Amino acid sequence: MATGRTHRPATRSRGIPEATVARLPLYLRALTALSERSVPTVSSEELAAAAGVNSAKLRKDFSYLGSYGTRGVGYDVEYLVYQISRELGLTQDWPVVIVGIGNLGAALAGYGGFASRGFRVAALIDADPAMTGKPVAGIPVQHSDDLEKIISEDGVSIGVIATPAGVAQQVCDRLVAAGVTSILNFAPTVLSVPDGVDVRKVDLSIELQILAFHEQRKAGEEAGAESGPEAGTETGAPTAPPAARTGGSSRKGPDGDVPAVMPA
Amino acid sequence: MATGRTHRPATRSRGIPEATVARLPLYLRALTALSERSVPTVSSEELAAAAGVNSAKLRKDFSYLGSYGTRGVGYDVEYLVYQISRELGLTQDWPVVIVGIGNLGAALAGYGGFASRGFRVAALIDADPAMTGKPVAGIPVQHSDDLEKIISEDGVSIGVIATPAGVAQQVCDRLVAAGVTSILNFAPTVLSVPDGVDVRKVDLSIELQILAFHEQRKAGEEAGAESGPEAGTETGAPTAPPAARTGGSSRKGPDGDVPAVMPA
DNA sequence: CCATCTTTGTGCACGCGTTCACAAAGACAT
DNA sequence: ATGTCTTTGTGAACGCGTGCACAAAGATGG
């Protein structure tokens, strides 16, 4: 999970567990595919397989929404699509602003998965004056000076931050002050927000690091098979905990991200 | 969380809980920032604040790695950076291939956060012959015909899929067959992989849908304050569960993703 | 050397999420 | 109408993750 809520101790919204909410979009996607193939009904078993989850889990998830199935038959696809869409708030239009139109921001602006699910890119915002007015994915970039005006005029409540890490918190503060209450953060920083504001983060680097951990473990298991499972626990630690300071490097990554410092 | 492992019942790798592994990159980032400011030691309280977590949680996380702190003082920054890097497998170089060089793939290729953490983009691969040879972020795109050769020659074990959803499973199968055992999937599909292969997924659309859910709930709470908290449970459902089929549309999204069908 | 003070490391309890297993419900055939 | 068969909906048990609260450890000062 590249994700993780920030703050807010598992709000358990209207009795719907957070874990269930996170799976509803998965079910919706599978159901939409079935709908396009004109499949009238699905069993929990089939749908669970399509969504990549356990069937018992799926049934319990749906039970939080109500009793929308028919015993002995399954679930009506169209009806379920509607119910989940309504529950997720996808029956209304959500204007979204994207702040920071670099490589990633531009890619997000052109991402088809947004518009297809009721999310409308209301504006692209960047701090670089050279970008202002230039169309990206058919939408002209606006300058960040107008951020507050754009948010309030369009009634935007969801903001996407795709800026360098260094300015993410400032951008976040301005978005929140202007009325945004949900933020999707792509910058590799921890954002602090007041209560009532939801933050979800997507960090590509973190995902890769988690994969690397498991990858290393797999490799270690093979190699460790000959010398016992307890190998590799102390593979030459460089110095004792109170190591002498080496003086911090000042290299900065291209997007304002900080590189990992690897002693020795 | 934009994330979520696939299969594999919480492997609890070498006694290190999955939830802890997912937080290690967070700590590492905070520690790296401290290291650049030449801060010699941090308390669990300070570091926890910087990483956006609870200090008790942080201490428990570190306890799984060993006793690297000094009571009354805190943790040695440099030493901890090294220990976490080693635990995550970041002391070695991980070659990574990115398959599907569209908007997103190109953005990923240029993402600075990869190289700075020991991940090296070994190759960019795309099925479009017109892309072949064209440099993206300084790296020439190679044709997908050579996928197997590239993987085996470079010893690549981590693959990133940024293709349209329709071809993601095929690409995944080829990657796995060629020897890739960790996959980061950006395509909006459930990938099925054999045992021993890790898949992590990042789905931008899902993250927004989760935000929309909470956003709707917030809006509903305000409005519902006047008519009681039980309002909005049955806001005009369109038809009874056994609804007549309306015939599926066949529209496809621009990236092969399927649009949500909204009845009535 | 001793007292004090800070901060770690962890035992324990609690709550959420997952999974099993089964009773109830309805479709369908006779 | 009745029996059979399929599939849902959920009660209950279990395991993981989180957070509290405190004892142990070590630094620091006198």
Side-chain angles (χ1 to χ4, degrees):
Chain A
M1 211 161 347
T3 301
R5 320 248 337 274
T6 310
H7 280 277
R8 195 163 308 283
T11 319
R12 188 68 90 88
S13 301
R14 206 240 331 287
I16 301 184
E18 194 57 30
T20 295
V21 173
R23 279 188 295 268
L24 290 182
L26 245 59
Y27 302 144
L28 184 57
R29 181 195 296 158
L31 284 165
T32 305
L34 290 172
S35 171
E36 290 191 344
R37 288 169 37 210
S38 297
V39 177
T41 60
V42 268
S43 67
S44 61
E45 202 71 47
E46 292 168 312
L47 185 54
V53 302
N54 186 297
S55 72
K57 193 186 297 188
L58 178 142
R59 287 199 299 275
K60 180 146 290 201
D61 282 343
F62 285 174
S63 79
Y64 291 115
L65 307 183
S67 289
Y68 294 146
T70 306
R71 295 173 193 235
V73 175
Y75 299 91
D76 182 86
V77 172
E78 293 293 333
Y79 188 67
L80 204 45
V81 164
Y82 173 78
Q83 289 299 341
I84 294 180
S85 295
R86 188 175 58 86
E87 198 67 50
L88 285 172
L90 268 39
T91 50
Q92 61 183 283
D93 188 69
W94 293 103
V96 171
V97 296
I98 301 175
V99 186
I101 313 301
N103 278 332
L104 183 58
L108 293 175
Y111 179 57
F114 288 175
S116 66
R117 289 200 177 60
F119 298 100
R120 178 173 51 86
V121 179
L124 305 179
I125 302 177
D126 199 283
D128 182 4
M131 292 286 295
T132 305
K134 201 197 291 182
V136 171
I139 304 169
V141 175
Q142 300 183 261
H143 193 269
S144 50
D145 284 349
D146 301 328
L147 187 145
E148 285 77 8
K149 188 163 71 75
I150 296 166
I151 303 266
S152 65
E153 281 184 2
D154 260 332
V156 175
S157 54
I158 300 178
V160 177
I161 297 180
T163 67
V167 297
Q169 182 65 58
Q170 308 166 32
V171 167
C172 173
D173 291 343
R174 288 183 64 186
L175 286 174
V176 170
V180 166
T181 48
S182 288
I183 291 177
L184 183 52
N185 180 31
F186 285 87
T189 328
V190 177
L191 293 180
S192 68
V193 293
D195 272 8
V197 176
D198 280 308
V199 176
R200 294 188 67 85
K201 70 172 189 301
V202 176
D203 192 316
L204 318 175
S205 163
I206 285 184
E207 296 304 314
L208 277 185
Q209 291 177 57
I210 297 172
L211 284 178
F213 172 84
H214 293 293
E215 200 59 41
Q216 186 187 40
R217 193 178 54 79
K218 286 181 219 164
E221 259 169 18
E222 289 170 25
E226 58 179 35
S227 62
E230 284 306 319
T233 307
E234 195 67 33
T235 25
T239 49
R245 310 271 12 293
T246 25
S249 108
S250 59
R251 211 158 37 90
K252 298 262 296 181
D255 60 348
D257 190 14
V258 288
V261 174
M262 213 68 58
Chain B
M1 214 168 325
T3 301
R5 319 243 344 271
T6 309
H7 280 276
R8 195 163 309 282
T11 318
R12 187 70 90 90
S13 300
R14 204 236 339 284
I16 301 183
E18 194 57 32
T20 296
V21 173
R23 278 187 296 267
L24 290 181
L26 245 61
Y27 302 144
L28 183 57
R29 180 194 297 159
L31 284 165
T32 305
L34 290 172
S35 171
E36 291 190 345
R37 287 168 39 208
S38 296
V39 176
T41 59
V42 267
S43 68
S44 62
E45 203 70 48
E46 292 168 312
L47 184 55
V53 301
N54 184 297
S55 73
K57 194 186 297 186
L58 178 142
R59 286 197 301 274
K60 183 150 292 204
D61 283 341
F62 285 175
S63 79
Y64 291 115
L65 307 184
S67 288
Y68 293 146
T70 306
R71 296 172 192 234
V73 176
Y75 299 91
D76 181 87
V77 172
E78 293 293 332
Y79 187 67
L80 204 45
V81 164
Y82 173 77
Q83 290 298 342
I84 294 179
S85 295
R86 188 175 57 86
E87 198 67 49
L88 285 173
L90 268 39
T91 50
Q92 62 183 284
D93 189 69
W94 292 103
V96 171
V97 295
I98 301 175
V99 186
I101 313 301
N103 278 333
L104 183 59
L108 293 175
Y111 179 57
F114 287 174
S116 66
R117 287 199 179 61
F119 298 99
R120 178 173 51 85
V121 179
L124 305 180
I125 302 177
D126 199 284
D128 182 5
M131 294 285 296
T132 306
K134 201 198 292 183
V136 170
I139 303 169
V141 175
Q142 300 183 259
H143 193 267
S144 51
D145 283 350
D146 301 328
L147 186 146
E148 285 78 9
K149 189 165 69 75
I150 296 165
I151 304 267
S152 65
E153 281 183 2
D154 260 332
V156 175
S157 55
I158 300 178
V160 177
I161 298 181
T163 65
V167 298
Q169 182 65 58
Q170 308 166 32
V171 168
C172 173
D173 291 343
R174 288 183 63 185
L175 286 173
V176 170
V180 166
T181 48
S182 288
I183 291 176
L184 183 52
N185 179 31
F186 286 87
T189 327
V190 177
L191 293 181
S192 69
V193 293
D195 273 9
V197 177
D198 281 308
V199 176
R200 295 189 67 84
K201 70 171 190 300
V202 176
D203 192 316
L204 319 175
S205 162
I206 284 184
E207 295 304 314
L208 278 185
Q209 292 176 56
I210 296 172
L211 284 178
F213 172 84
H214 292 294
E215 200 59 41
Q216 186 187 39
R217 193 178 56 78
K218 286 182 218 163
E221 258 169 18
E222 291 170 22
E226 57 179 37
S227 61
E230 283 306 318
T233 305
E234 195 66 32
T235 25
T239 48
R245 310 268 16 291
T246 25
S249 108
S250 59
R251 212 156 38 89
K252 298 263 296 182
D255 61 347
D257 190 13
V258 288
V261 174
M262 213 67 58

